[in-house]
Amino acid sequence: MITHPLSLFFMFSEMIYLFLRRNLKGLLSFGVCAFLMIAPVTYYNVFVLKEAVPIQANGGFNLYLGNNEDADGTCYLRPGQDWNDFHRGADYLSQKLGISKDALLIQKTVKYICNNPVQWLKLLSWKALLVWNYRELTSGADLYPLRYFTPFQRLFSWAFGVCAVLALTALFINLKNSAFYSRYRHVLIIICAFWIAQTLLVTSGRYRIAMVPFILILAA
């Protein structure tokens, strides 16, 4: 969770599941343990930096990056001159308007969605498919760390695709098997949570990496 706020999608999904199952003891224990993971960072942001940021800032940037007229579903804006120019422009405009950069980018995203609903729905559909792309999706200098933390992907460039196909096959052949969904419910929740998160925001290898261990379970 400290690494990236996208993990909150899983936290809330799991808590909703526990609530619907009326497992209040599990809900309380999971909620407390999850909060303890981010509590030091939250405390530092709120009481030391005086910013109402639960984990990390720049949430508005990730939303905008995946939902604007130039978006292609991935982290298309890489660190460099264009990256610096974009953030300088956003900083200048947010200061001029007297709002945070996150708030500015969220407003721009909402405006894009309202003005282009059909284009936005097509973009969401593309991102939903892109999460399951057979190749590793990289952003900036992510490639080597991703291959280090998911070493099976060093074997060949489409190793993720092989595992994803096997995992999806496991789902399809168990569509009517309630015991399967009961046994692997938490595995399915975390996969779906990160799938939804990347569909709504932006698709990237660093965000998809959280799905990999659970996709390997289903593939096995």
Side-chain angles (χ1 to χ4, degrees), residues 88-176:
R88 274 197 295 265
D91 286 332
Y92 172 78
L93 190 55
S94 63
Q95 291 175 11
K96 185 178 179 180
L97 296 174
I99 59 176
S100 68
K101 184 167 68 174
D102 281 345
L104 171 69
L105 294 176
I106 290 171
Q107 287 179 9
K108 289 172 69 70
T109 302
V110 171
K111 183 178 180 181
Y112 160 74
I113 293 172
C114 293
N115 292 339
N116 305 276
V118 175
Q119 181 182 348
W120 180 64
L121 289 174
K122 288 181 180 179
L123 184 59
L124 285 186
S125 302
W126 169 243
K127 286 189 287 184
L129 291 173
L130 199 60
V131 174
W132 297 93
N133 182 57
Y134 68 99
R135 290 186 180 274
E136 187 54 272
L137 302 167
T138 59
S139 57
D142 283 353
L143 183 58
Y144 291 108
L146 284 172
R147 286 181 173 172
Y148 175 81
F149 287 112
T150 55
F152 75 95
Q153 293 187 95
R154 289 200 297 264
L155 300 176
F156 35 83
S157 60
W158 35 272
F160 177 88
V162 173
C163 298
V165 168
L166 292 173
L168 291 171
T169 302
L171 293 178
F172 286 128
I173 65 176
N174 285 284
L175 286 176
K176 297 182 179 180

Coordinates of all heavy atoms in Angstrom, one line a residue, residues 88-176:
R88 N 5.4 21.4 -15.2 CA 5.6 22.8 -15.0 C 4.3 23.6 -15.4 O 3.9 24.5 -14.6 CB 6.8 23.3 -15.8 CG 8.1 23.2 -15.1 CD 9.2 24.0 -15.7 NE 9.5 23.6 -17.1 CZ 10.5 22.8 -17.4 NH1 11.2 22.3 -16.5 NH2 10.7 22.4 -18.7
G89 N 3.7 23.3 -16.5 CA 2.5 23.9 -16.9 C 1.4 23.7 -15.9 O 0.6 24.6 -15.6
A90 N 1.2 22.4 -15.4 CA 0.2 22.1 -14.5 C 0.4 22.9 -13.2 O -0.6 23.4 -12.5 CB 0.1 20.6 -14.3
D91 N 1.7 22.9 -12.7 CA 2.0 23.7 -11.5 C 1.6 25.1 -11.6 O 1.0 25.7 -10.7 CB 3.5 23.5 -11.2 CG 3.8 22.1 -10.6 OD1 2.9 21.5 -10.0 OD2 5.0 21.7 -10.8
Y92 N 2.0 25.7 -12.7 CA 1.7 27.2 -13.0 C 0.2 27.4 -13.0 O -0.2 28.4 -12.3 CB 2.3 27.6 -14.3 CG 2.0 29.0 -14.7 CD1 2.6 30.1 -14.1 CD2 1.0 29.2 -15.7 CE1 2.2 31.4 -14.5 CE2 0.6 30.5 -16.0 CZ 1.2 31.6 -15.4 OH 0.8 32.8 -15.8
L93 N -0.5 26.6 -13.7 CA -2.0 26.8 -13.8 C -2.7 26.6 -12.5 O -3.6 27.4 -12.1 CB -2.6 25.9 -14.9 CG -4.0 26.2 -15.3 CD1 -4.2 27.6 -15.7 CD2 -4.4 25.2 -16.4
S94 N -2.3 25.6 -11.7 CA -2.9 25.3 -10.4 C -2.7 26.4 -9.5 O -3.5 26.8 -8.7 CB -2.4 24.0 -9.9 OG -1.0 24.0 -9.6
Q95 N -1.4 27.0 -9.5 CA -1.1 28.1 -8.6 C -1.9 29.4 -9.0 O -2.4 30.1 -8.1 CB 0.4 28.4 -8.6 CG 1.2 27.3 -7.9 CD 2.7 27.6 -8.1 OE1 3.1 28.7 -8.5 NE2 3.5 26.6 -7.8
K96 N -2.1 29.6 -10.3 CA -2.9 30.7 -10.8 C -4.3 30.6 -10.4 O -5.0 31.6 -10.0 CB -2.7 30.8 -12.3 CG -3.4 32.0 -12.9 CD -3.2 32.0 -14.5 CE -3.9 33.2 -15.1 NZ -3.6 33.2 -16.6
L97 N -4.9 29.4 -10.4 CA -6.3 29.2 -10.0 C -6.5 29.0 -8.5 O -7.6 29.0 -8.0 CB -6.8 27.9 -10.7 CG -6.9 28.0 -12.3 CD1 -7.3 26.7 -12.9 CD2 -7.8 29.1 -12.7
G98 N -5.4 28.8 -7.8 CA -5.4 28.7 -6.3 C -6.0 27.3 -5.9 O -6.6 27.2 -4.8
I99 N -5.7 26.3 -6.7 CA -6.1 24.9 -6.3 C -4.9 24.0 -6.4 O -3.8 24.4 -7.0 CB -7.2 24.4 -7.2 CG1 -6.8 24.4 -8.7 CG2 -8.5 25.2 -7.0 CD1 -7.8 23.8 -9.6
S100 N -5.0 22.8 -5.9 CA -3.8 21.9 -6.0 C -3.7 21.3 -7.4 O -4.7 21.4 -8.2 CB -4.0 20.7 -5.0 OG -5.1 19.9 -5.4
K101 N -2.6 20.8 -7.8 CA -2.4 20.2 -9.1 C -3.3 19.0 -9.3 O -3.8 18.8 -10.4 CB -0.9 19.9 -9.3 CG -0.6 19.3 -10.7 CD 0.9 19.3 -11.0 CE 1.6 18.2 -10.2 NZ 3.0 18.1 -10.5
D102 N -3.4 18.2 -8.2 CA -4.3 17.0 -8.3 C -5.7 17.5 -8.7 O -6.4 16.9 -9.5 CB -4.3 16.3 -7.0 CG -3.1 15.4 -6.8 OD1 -2.4 15.2 -7.8 OD2 -2.8 14.9 -5.7
A103 N -6.2 18.5 -8.0 CA -7.6 19.0 -8.2 C -7.7 19.5 -9.6 O -8.7 19.3 -10.3 CB -7.9 20.1 -7.2
L104 N -6.7 20.2 -10.1 CA -6.7 20.7 -11.5 C -6.8 19.6 -12.5 O -7.7 19.6 -13.4 CB -5.4 21.5 -11.8 CG -5.2 21.9 -13.2 CD1 -6.2 23.0 -13.7 CD2 -3.8 22.5 -13.5
L105 N -6.0 18.5 -12.3 CA -6.0 17.4 -13.3 C -7.3 16.6 -13.2 O -7.7 16.0 -14.2 CB -4.8 16.6 -13.1 CG -3.4 17.3 -13.4 CD1 -2.3 16.4 -13.0 CD2 -3.3 17.7 -14.8
I106 N -7.8 16.5 -12.0 CA -9.1 15.8 -11.9 C -10.2 16.5 -12.6 O -11.1 15.9 -13.3 CB -9.5 15.6 -10.4 CG1 -8.5 14.6 -9.7 CG2 -10.9 15.2 -10.2 CD1 -8.6 14.5 -8.2
Q107 N -10.2 17.9 -12.5 CA -11.2 18.7 -13.2 C -11.1 18.5 -14.7 O -12.1 18.4 -15.4 CB -11.0 20.2 -12.8 CG -11.5 20.5 -11.4 CD -11.3 22.0 -11.1 OE1 -10.9 22.8 -12.0 NE2 -11.4 22.4 -9.9
K108 N -9.8 18.5 -15.2 CA -9.6 18.3 -16.6 C -10.1 17.0 -17.1 O -10.6 16.8 -18.2 CB -8.1 18.5 -17.0 CG -7.6 19.9 -16.8 CD -6.1 20.0 -17.0 CE -5.6 19.7 -18.4 NZ -6.0 20.8 -19.3
T109 N -9.9 15.9 -16.3 CA -10.3 14.6 -16.6 C -11.8 14.5 -16.7 O -12.4 13.9 -17.6 CB -9.8 13.6 -15.5 OG1 -8.4 13.6 -15.5 CG2 -10.2 12.2 -15.9
V110 N -12.5 15.1 -15.7 CA -14.0 15.1 -15.7 C -14.5 15.8 -16.9 O -15.5 15.4 -17.5 CB -14.5 15.7 -14.3 CG1 -16.0 15.9 -14.4 CG2 -14.1 14.8 -13.2
K111 N -13.9 16.9 -17.2 CA -14.3 17.7 -18.4 C -14.2 16.9 -19.7 O -15.1 16.8 -20.5 CB -13.5 19.0 -18.5 CG -13.9 19.9 -19.7 CD -13.1 21.2 -19.7 CE -13.5 22.1 -20.8 NZ -12.7 23.3 -20.9
Y112 N -13.1 16.1 -19.8 CA -12.8 15.3 -21.0 C -13.9 14.2 -21.0 O -14.5 13.9 -22.1 CB -11.4 14.7 -20.9 CG -11.3 13.4 -21.8 CD1 -11.2 13.5 -23.2 CD2 -11.3 12.1 -21.2 CE1 -11.1 12.4 -24.0 CE2 -11.2 11.0 -22.0 CZ -11.1 11.2 -23.4 OH -11.0 10.1 -24.2
I113 N -14.2 13.5 -19.9 CA -15.2 12.4 -19.9 C -16.6 13.0 -20.3 O -17.3 12.3 -21.1 CB -15.2 11.8 -18.5 CG1 -13.9 11.1 -18.2 CG2 -16.4 10.8 -18.4 CD1 -13.7 10.5 -16.8
C114 N -16.9 14.1 -19.7 CA -18.3 14.7 -20.0 C -18.4 15.1 -21.5 O -19.5 15.0 -22.1 CB -18.5 15.9 -19.1 SG -18.7 15.4 -17.4
N115 N -17.3 15.6 -22.1 CA -17.4 16.1 -23.4 C -17.2 15.0 -24.5 O -17.6 15.1 -25.6 CB -16.3 17.1 -23.7 CG -16.6 18.4 -22.9 OD1 -17.7 18.7 -22.5 ND2 -15.5 19.2 -22.7
N116 N -16.6 13.8 -24.0 CA -16.3 12.7 -25.0 C -16.7 11.4 -24.4 O -15.8 10.5 -24.2 CB -14.8 12.7 -25.4 CG -14.3 14.1 -25.9 OD1 -14.5 14.4 -27.1 ND2 -13.7 14.9 -25.0
P117 N -18.0 11.2 -24.0 CA -18.3 9.9 -23.4 C -18.1 8.7 -24.2 O -17.7 7.7 -23.7 CB -19.9 10.1 -23.1 CG -20.3 11.2 -24.0 CD -19.1 12.1 -24.3
V118 N -18.4 8.7 -25.5 CA -18.2 7.6 -26.3 C -16.7 7.2 -26.5 O -16.3 6.1 -26.3 CB -18.8 7.8 -27.7 CG1 -18.5 6.6 -28.7 CG2 -20.3 8.0 -27.6
Q119 N -15.9 8.2 -26.7 CA -14.5 8.0 -26.8 C -13.9 7.5 -25.5 O -13.0 6.6 -25.5 CB -13.8 9.3 -27.2 CG -12.3 9.2 -27.4 CD -11.6 10.6 -27.7 OE1 -12.3 11.5 -28.0 NE2 -10.3 10.6 -27.6
W120 N -14.4 8.0 -24.4 CA -13.9 7.5 -23.1 C -14.3 6.1 -22.9 O -13.5 5.3 -22.4 CB -14.5 8.4 -22.0 CG -14.1 8.0 -20.6 CD1 -12.8 8.0 -20.1 CD2 -14.9 7.5 -19.6 NE1 -12.8 7.6 -18.8 CE2 -14.1 7.2 -18.5 CE3 -16.3 7.2 -19.5 CZ2 -14.6 6.7 -17.3 CZ3 -16.8 6.8 -18.3 CH2 -15.9 6.5 -17.2
L121 N -15.5 5.7 -23.2 CA -15.9 4.3 -23.1 C -15.1 3.3 -23.9 O -14.7 2.2 -23.5 CB -17.4 4.1 -23.4 CG -18.4 4.7 -22.4 CD1 -19.8 4.6 -22.9 CD2 -18.2 4.1 -21.0
K122 N -14.7 3.8 -25.1 CA -13.8 3.0 -26.0 C -12.5 2.9 -25.3 O -11.8 1.8 -25.4 CB -13.7 3.6 -27.4 CG -15.0 3.5 -28.2 CD -14.7 4.2 -29.6 CE -16.0 4.1 -30.5 NZ -15.8 4.8 -31.8
L123 N -12.0 3.9 -24.7 CA -10.7 3.9 -24.1 C -10.7 3.0 -22.9 O -9.7 2.2 -22.7 CB -10.3 5.4 -23.6 CG -9.0 5.6 -22.9 CD1 -7.8 5.2 -23.9 CD2 -8.8 7.0 -22.5
L124 N -11.8 3.0 -22.1 CA -11.9 2.0 -21.0 C -11.9 0.6 -21.5 O -11.2 -0.3 -20.9 CB -13.2 2.3 -20.2 CG -13.3 3.5 -19.3 CD1 -14.7 3.5 -18.6 CD2 -12.2 3.6 -18.3
S125 N -12.6 0.3 -22.6 CA -12.6 -1.0 -23.1 C -11.2 -1.5 -23.5 O -10.8 -2.6 -23.3 CB -13.6 -1.1 -24.3 OG -14.9 -0.7 -24.0
W126 N -10.5 -0.5 -24.2 CA -9.1 -0.8 -24.6 C -8.2 -1.1 -23.4 O -7.4 -2.1 -23.4 CB -8.6 0.3 -25.4 CG -7.1 0.2 -25.7 CD1 -6.1 1.1 -25.3 CD2 -6.4 -0.8 -26.4 NE1 -4.9 0.7 -25.7 CE2 -5.0 -0.5 -26.4 CE3 -6.8 -1.9 -27.1 CZ2 -4.1 -1.2 -27.1 CZ3 -5.9 -2.7 -27.7 CH2 -4.5 -2.4 -27.7
K127 N -8.3 -0.3 -22.3 CA -7.5 -0.5 -21.2 C -7.8 -1.9 -20.5 O -7.0 -2.5 -19.9 CB -7.7 0.6 -20.2 CG -6.9 1.9 -20.6 CD -6.9 3.0 -19.6 CE -8.3 3.6 -19.4 NZ -8.3 4.7 -18.4
A128 N -9.1 -2.2 -20.5 CA -9.5 -3.5 -19.9 C -8.9 -4.7 -20.6 O -8.5 -5.7 -19.9 CB -11.1 -3.6 -19.9
L129 N -8.7 -4.6 -21.9 CA -8.0 -5.6 -22.7 C -6.5 -5.5 -22.5 O -5.8 -6.5 -22.4 CB -8.4 -5.5 -24.1 CG -9.8 -5.8 -24.5 CD1 -10.0 -5.5 -26.0 CD2 -10.1 -7.3 -24.3
L130 N -6.0 -4.3 -22.4 CA -4.6 -4.1 -22.3 C -3.9 -4.6 -21.0 O -2.8 -5.0 -21.1 CB -4.3 -2.5 -22.4 CG -2.9 -2.1 -22.8 CD1 -2.5 -2.6 -24.1 CD2 -2.8 -0.6 -22.7
V131 N -4.7 -4.7 -20.0 CA -4.2 -5.3 -18.7 C -3.8 -6.7 -19.0 O -2.8 -7.2 -18.4 CB -5.3 -5.3 -17.6 CG1 -4.9 -6.0 -16.4 CG2 -5.7 -3.8 -17.3
W132 N -4.4 -7.4 -19.9 CA -4.1 -8.8 -20.2 C -3.2 -8.9 -21.4 O -3.0 -10.0 -22.0 CB -5.4 -9.6 -20.4 CG -6.2 -9.6 -19.2 CD1 -7.2 -8.8 -18.8 CD2 -6.1 -10.5 -18.1 NE1 -7.7 -9.1 -17.6 CE2 -7.0 -10.1 -17.1 CE3 -5.2 -11.6 -17.8 CZ2 -7.2 -10.8 -15.9 CZ3 -5.4 -12.2 -16.6 CH2 -6.3 -11.9 -15.6
N133 N -2.5 -7.9 -21.8 CA -1.6 -7.9 -22.9 C -0.5 -9.0 -22.6 O 0.0 -9.0 -21.5 CB -0.9 -6.5 -23.1 CG 0.0 -6.5 -24.3 OD1 -0.4 -6.8 -25.4 ND2 1.3 -6.1 -24.0
Y134 N -0.1 -9.7 -23.6 CA 0.8 -10.8 -23.4 C 2.2 -10.4 -23.1 O 3.0 -11.1 -22.5 CB 0.8 -11.8 -24.6 CG 1.4 -11.2 -25.8 CD1 2.7 -11.5 -26.2 CD2 0.7 -10.4 -26.7 CE1 3.3 -11.0 -27.4 CE2 1.2 -9.9 -27.8 CZ 2.5 -10.2 -28.2 OH 3.0 -9.7 -29.3
R135 N 2.6 -9.1 -23.5 CA 3.9 -8.6 -23.2 C 3.9 -7.8 -22.0 O 2.9 -7.3 -21.5 CB 4.4 -7.8 -24.4 CG 4.7 -8.6 -25.6 CD 5.3 -7.7 -26.7 NE 5.7 -8.4 -27.9 CZ 6.8 -9.1 -28.1 NH1 7.7 -9.1 -27.2 NH2 7.0 -9.7 -29.3
E136 N 5.1 -7.6 -21.4 CA 5.2 -6.8 -20.2 C 5.1 -5.3 -20.6 O 5.5 -4.9 -21.7 CB 6.6 -6.9 -19.5 CG 6.7 -6.2 -18.2 CD 5.6 -6.5 -17.3 OE1 4.6 -5.9 -17.3 OE2 5.8 -7.5 -16.5
L137 N 4.3 -4.6 -19.8 CA 4.0 -3.1 -20.1 C 5.0 -2.3 -19.2 O 5.0 -2.4 -18.0 CB 2.6 -2.8 -19.8 CG 1.6 -3.6 -20.6 CD1 0.2 -3.5 -19.9 CD2 1.5 -3.2 -22.0
T138 N 5.8 -1.5 -19.8 CA 6.8 -0.8 -19.1 C 6.5 0.7 -19.1 O 5.9 1.2 -20.1 CB 8.2 -1.0 -19.6 OG1 8.3 -0.6 -21.0 CG2 8.6 -2.5 -19.4
S139 N 6.9 1.4 -18.1 CA 6.9 2.9 -18.1 C 8.2 3.4 -17.6 O 8.7 3.0 -16.5 CB 5.7 3.3 -17.2 OG 5.9 2.9 -15.9
G140 N 8.8 4.3 -18.3 CA 10.1 4.9 -17.9 C 11.1 3.8 -17.8 O 11.4 3.0 -18.7
A141 N 11.8 3.8 -16.6 CA 12.9 2.8 -16.4 C 12.4 1.6 -15.6 O 13.2 1.0 -14.9 CB 14.0 3.6 -15.6
D142 N 11.2 1.2 -15.9 CA 10.6 0.1 -15.1 C 11.1 -1.3 -15.5 O 11.0 -2.3 -14.8 CB 9.1 0.1 -15.2 CG 8.5 1.1 -14.3 OD1 9.2 1.7 -13.5 OD2 7.3 1.3 -14.4
L143 N 11.6 -1.5 -16.8 CA 11.8 -2.8 -17.3 C 12.7 -3.7 -16.5 O 12.3 -4.8 -16.2 CB 12.4 -2.7 -18.7 CG 12.5 -4.0 -19.5 CD1 11.2 -4.7 -19.6 CD2 13.1 -3.7 -20.9
Y144 N 13.8 -3.2 -16.1 CA 14.8 -4.1 -15.4 C 14.2 -4.4 -14.0 O 14.3 -5.6 -13.6 CB 16.2 -3.5 -15.3 CG 16.8 -3.5 -16.7 CD1 16.9 -2.3 -17.4 CD2 17.2 -4.7 -17.3 CE1 17.5 -2.3 -18.7 CE2 17.8 -4.7 -18.6 CZ 17.9 -3.5 -19.3 OH 18.5 -3.5 -20.5
P145 N 13.7 -3.5 -13.2 CA 13.1 -3.9 -11.9 C 12.0 -4.9 -12.0 O 11.8 -5.8 -11.2 CB 12.6 -2.5 -11.3 CG 13.5 -1.5 -12.0 CD 13.8 -2.0 -13.4
L146 N 11.1 -4.7 -13.1 CA 10.0 -5.6 -13.3 C 10.5 -7.0 -13.6 O 10.0 -8.0 -13.0 CB 9.1 -5.1 -14.4 CG 8.2 -3.9 -14.1 CD1 7.5 -3.4 -15.3 CD2 7.2 -4.3 -13.0
R147 N 11.5 -7.1 -14.4 CA 12.1 -8.4 -14.7 C 12.8 -9.0 -13.5 O 12.8 -10.3 -13.3 CB 13.1 -8.3 -15.9 CG 12.3 -8.1 -17.2 CD 13.3 -8.0 -18.4 NE 12.6 -8.0 -19.6 CZ 13.2 -7.8 -20.8 NH1 14.5 -7.6 -20.8 NH2 12.4 -7.8 -21.9
Y148 N 13.3 -8.2 -12.6 CA 14.0 -8.7 -11.4 C 12.9 -9.2 -10.4 O 13.1 -10.3 -9.9 CB 14.7 -7.5 -10.7 CG 15.3 -7.9 -9.4 CD1 16.5 -8.6 -9.3 CD2 14.7 -7.6 -8.2 CE1 17.1 -9.0 -8.1 CE2 15.2 -7.9 -7.0 CZ 16.4 -8.6 -6.9 OH 16.9 -9.0 -5.7
F149 N 11.8 -8.5 -10.3 CA 10.8 -8.9 -9.3 C 9.9 -10.0 -9.9 O 9.2 -10.7 -9.1 CB 10.0 -7.7 -8.8 CG 10.7 -6.8 -7.9 CD1 11.1 -5.6 -8.3 CD2 11.1 -7.3 -6.6 CE1 11.8 -4.7 -7.4 CE2 11.8 -6.5 -5.8 CZ 12.2 -5.2 -6.1
T150 N 9.8 -10.2 -11.2 CA 9.1 -11.2 -11.8 C 10.0 -12.0 -12.7 O 9.9 -11.9 -14.0 CB 7.9 -10.7 -12.6 OG1 8.3 -9.7 -13.5 CG2 6.9 -10.0 -11.7
P151 N 11.0 -12.8 -12.2 CA 12.1 -13.3 -12.9 C 11.6 -14.3 -14.0 O 12.4 -14.5 -15.0 CB 12.9 -14.0 -11.9 CG 12.0 -14.2 -10.7 CD 11.1 -13.1 -10.7
F152 N 10.4 -14.9 -13.9 CA 10.0 -15.8 -15.0 C 9.8 -15.1 -16.3 O 9.9 -15.7 -17.4 CB 8.7 -16.5 -14.6 CG 7.5 -15.7 -14.7 CD1 6.7 -15.7 -15.9 CD2 7.1 -14.9 -13.7 CE1 5.6 -14.9 -16.0 CE2 5.9 -14.1 -13.8 CZ 5.2 -14.1 -14.9
Q153 N 9.7 -13.8 -16.2 CA 9.5 -13.0 -17.5 C 10.8 -12.7 -18.2 O 10.8 -12.2 -19.3 CB 8.8 -11.6 -17.2 CG 7.4 -11.9 -16.7 CD 6.6 -10.6 -16.5 OE1 5.9 -10.2 -17.5 NE2 6.7 -9.9 -15.4
R154 N 11.9 -13.1 -17.6 CA 13.2 -13.0 -18.3 C 13.4 -14.2 -19.3 O 14.2 -14.1 -20.2 CB 14.3 -13.1 -17.3 CG 14.5 -11.8 -16.4 CD 15.9 -11.7 -15.8 NE 16.2 -12.8 -14.9 CZ 16.0 -12.8 -13.6 NH1 15.6 -11.7 -13.0 NH2 16.3 -13.8 -12.9
L155 N 12.5 -15.2 -19.2 CA 12.7 -16.4 -20.0 C 12.4 -16.0 -21.5 O 13.1 -16.4 -22.4 CB 11.8 -17.5 -19.5 CG 12.0 -18.0 -18.1 CD1 11.0 -19.0 -17.7 CD2 13.4 -18.5 -18.0
F156 N 11.2 -15.3 -21.7 CA 10.9 -14.9 -23.0 C 9.9 -13.7 -22.9 O 9.3 -13.5 -21.8 CB 10.2 -16.0 -23.9 CG 9.4 -17.0 -23.1 CD1 8.1 -16.7 -22.8 CD2 9.9 -18.2 -22.7 CE1 7.3 -17.5 -22.1 CE2 9.2 -19.1 -21.9 CZ 7.8 -18.7 -21.6
S157 N 9.8 -12.9 -23.9 CA 9.1 -11.6 -23.8 C 7.6 -11.8 -23.6 O 6.9 -10.8 -23.2 CB 9.3 -10.8 -25.1 OG 8.8 -11.5 -26.3
W158 N 7.0 -13.0 -23.9 CA 5.6 -13.1 -23.7 C 5.2 -14.1 -22.6 O 4.2 -14.8 -22.7 CB 4.9 -13.5 -25.0 CG 5.7 -14.5 -25.9 CD1 6.6 -14.1 -26.8 CD2 5.7 -15.9 -25.9 NE1 7.2 -15.2 -27.5 CE2 6.7 -16.3 -26.9 CE3 5.0 -16.9 -25.2 CZ2 6.9 -17.6 -27.2 CZ3 5.3 -18.2 -25.5 CH2 6.2 -18.6 -26.5
A159 N 6.1 -14.2 -21.6 CA 5.9 -15.2 -20.5 C 4.6 -14.8 -19.8 O 3.9 -15.7 -19.3 CB 7.1 -15.2 -19.6
F160 N 4.4 -13.5 -19.6 CA 3.1 -13.1 -18.9 C 1.9 -13.6 -19.6 O 0.9 -14.1 -19.0 CB 3.0 -11.6 -18.7 CG 1.8 -11.1 -18.1 CD1 1.7 -11.0 -16.7 CD2 0.7 -10.8 -18.8 CE1 0.5 -10.6 -16.1 CE2 -0.5 -10.4 -18.2 CZ -0.6 -10.3 -16.9
G161 N 2.0 -13.6 -20.9 CA 0.8 -14.0 -21.8 C 0.5 -15.5 -21.6 O -0.7 -15.9 -21.5
V162 N 1.5 -16.3 -21.5 CA 1.3 -17.7 -21.2 C 0.6 -18.0 -19.9 O -0.4 -18.7 -19.9 CB 2.7 -18.5 -21.2 CG1 2.5 -19.9 -20.8 CG2 3.3 -18.4 -22.6
C163 N 1.0 -17.3 -18.9 CA 0.4 -17.5 -17.5 C -1.0 -16.9 -17.5 O -1.9 -17.5 -16.9 CB 1.3 -16.8 -16.5 SG 2.9 -17.5 -16.3
A164 N -1.2 -15.8 -18.2 CA -2.5 -15.1 -18.3 C -3.5 -16.0 -19.0 O -4.7 -16.2 -18.5 CB -2.4 -13.8 -18.9
V165 N -3.1 -16.7 -20.1 CA -4.0 -17.6 -20.8 C -4.4 -18.7 -19.9 O -5.6 -19.1 -19.9 CB -3.3 -18.0 -22.1 CG1 -4.1 -19.2 -22.7 CG2 -3.2 -16.9 -23.1
L166 N -3.4 -19.3 -19.2 CA -3.7 -20.4 -18.3 C -4.7 -20.0 -17.2 O -5.6 -20.8 -16.8 CB -2.4 -21.0 -17.8 CG -1.5 -21.7 -18.7 CD1 -0.2 -22.1 -18.1 CD2 -2.2 -23.0 -19.3
A167 N -4.4 -18.8 -16.6 CA -5.3 -18.3 -15.6 C -6.7 -18.1 -16.0 O -7.7 -18.5 -15.4 CB -4.7 -17.0 -15.0
L168 N -6.9 -17.5 -17.2 CA -8.2 -17.2 -17.8 C -8.9 -18.6 -18.1 O -10.1 -18.7 -17.9 CB -8.1 -16.4 -19.0 CG -7.7 -14.9 -18.7 CD1 -7.4 -14.2 -20.0 CD2 -8.8 -14.2 -17.9
T169 N -8.1 -19.5 -18.6 CA -8.7 -20.9 -18.8 C -9.2 -21.5 -17.6 O -10.3 -22.1 -17.6 CB -7.6 -21.8 -19.4 OG1 -7.1 -21.2 -20.6 CG2 -8.2 -23.1 -19.8
A170 N -8.5 -21.3 -16.5 CA -9.0 -21.9 -15.2 C -10.3 -21.2 -14.8 O -11.2 -21.9 -14.3 CB -7.9 -21.6 -14.1
L171 N -10.5 -20.0 -15.1 CA -11.8 -19.3 -14.8 C -12.9 -19.8 -15.7 O -14.0 -20.1 -15.2 CB -11.6 -17.8 -15.0 CG -10.7 -17.0 -14.0 CD1 -10.6 -15.6 -14.4 CD2 -11.2 -17.2 -12.6
F172 N -12.6 -20.0 -17.0 CA -13.6 -20.4 -17.9 C -14.1 -21.8 -17.7 O -15.3 -22.1 -17.8 CB -13.1 -20.2 -19.4 CG -13.1 -18.8 -19.8 CD1 -11.9 -18.3 -20.4 CD2 -14.2 -18.0 -19.7 CE1 -11.9 -16.9 -20.8 CE2 -14.2 -16.6 -20.1 CZ -13.0 -16.1 -20.6
I173 N -13.2 -22.7 -17.3 CA -13.6 -24.1 -17.1 C -14.3 -24.3 -15.8 O -14.8 -25.4 -15.5 CB -12.4 -25.1 -17.3 CG1 -11.4 -24.8 -16.2 CG2 -11.8 -24.9 -18.7 CD1 -10.2 -25.8 -16.3
N174 N -14.3 -23.3 -14.9 CA -14.9 -23.4 -13.6 C -16.1 -22.4 -13.4 O -16.4 -22.1 -12.3 CB -13.8 -23.1 -12.5 CG -12.9 -24.3 -12.3 OD1 -13.3 -25.3 -11.7 ND2 -11.7 -24.2 -12.8
L175 N -16.6 -22.0 -14.6 CA -17.7 -21.0 -14.5 C -18.9 -21.5 -13.6 O -19.5 -20.7 -12.9 CB -18.2 -20.7 -15.9 CG -17.3 -19.8 -16.7 CD1 -17.9 -19.6 -18.1 CD2 -17.2 -18.4 -16.1
K176 N -19.2 -22.8 -13.6 CA -20.3 -23.4 -12.9 C -19.8 -24.1 -11.6 O -20.6 -24.8 -11.0 CB -21.1 -24.3 -13.8 CG -21.7 -23.6 -15.0 CD -22.6 -24.6 -15.8 CE -23.2 -23.8 -17.0 NZ -24.0 -24.8 -17.8

